[in-house]
Amino acid sequence: MDTTRIIAATLLATLFSTAHAGLYKWVDDNGQVHYGDKPSAGSSGNAGDQAQEVAIHDSFAIKNVTKRFPVKLSRKERSALRDITFSDFHIRLPVSEGHRIKIGRMSVGKSCKMAAIYYWDTQDLPLGDEAIGGLIDDTFTHYGYNYRKTTASPLVLSGEITAMKVDSCLPYRSNSPNAPSRDAAYVKVAWKLKEPSSDRVIYETSTEGSKDNRALNARRDGFIDTINAALRVAIVNLLADKHFVSSMMKTSSSAQQYSTSSSSAPVFIKYSKQRGDFRSRVKHLEKLAVTIKTNDGHGSGVLLDSHGHVLTNAHVVKGNRHVKIKIGNNEFNASVVKKGTKRDVALIKITDEASLPKNID
């Protein structure tokens, strides 16, 4: 990830010094409160004995995030994993000053005493999907999860950074974007897992990641590597979320259950008592004919009732759990309730039945 192209460091002034970490508070003989970087004897000579060291709130402090262990999968569970791909990574951070976003600080000098603020110069800047996808690909593959680089994958993961802090020290003054540095970074990423076939989000969560390399020697590209390392921790912690992993399974409980077993799926069909010949009913029956669209193609079916139950062939839905139903010029999301391959039949249920015409029965 070429972070140097999207982050601008602006040296504003000597904002603070890290030469002394302590801050002291004391009250003089007149009751006035004072603060200083060392205890003061004050006017009475004993006020220094009463001075108390106070904690300094550091708004740029890097949160330490524990790297968790990904969910361990059995061979059977691993075979049930659906392929996943990655698309659409953004940075969405609160505006700090105008259009600039304060994300951390940069210190310079061998002892890193001179500090300035790092600003992000745009509010919503998408990172390269290929670069972030590479991090996800490496991490998923390393822990035995399926990843596919094509958008034809049955699952699509997207993410956005909602919080970010950096603390960088450049011991050697340089204008080079990859100058040697010692760095720490924290990120919080909001994730969405989506099924393109049903066009709906099946799971949402947020994970955090951090990396602190400030104790290491300064190194080139240290800033970029540290942010990438923090992102990797956030990705690993995503794989440690059992609900996320469950959503990746072919029998995920996060979606409507799809089953080929003999469990019952009650459908109530009201037989018409209307009189007349078939020809007079053709126009009405034509309205019940629907088109079923899947990832592999399309087929035909018949609408059974106003609740959105559709009857079709098992070979039309194949292995899809979610399909699209086209009725006239309208298209609806639907889920496969049950199918029987021996009889080549399948029952589908339109999810947004409220939008269906009411004169079907």
Side-chain angles (χ1 to χ4, degrees), residues 156-189:
V156 175
L157 180 68
S158 62
E160 60 185 34
I161 293 180
T162 58
M164 183 177 186
K165 289 184 180 180
V166 298
D167 192 353
S168 183
C169 170
L170 281 71
Y172 318 107
R173 295 178 181 272
S174 173
N175 294 325
S176 173
N178 61 344
S181 60
R182 302 194 300 267
D183 313 275
Y186 161 83
V187 294
K188 184 176 182 180
V189 184

Side-chain angles (χ1 to χ4, degrees), residues 16 56-62 102-105 164-166:
F16 42 76
I56 303 175
H57 175 68
D58 186 354
S59 61
F60 296 121
I62 303 299
K102 186 189 301 181
I103 63 168
R105 67 182 164 205
M164 183 177 186
K165 289 184 180 180
V166 298

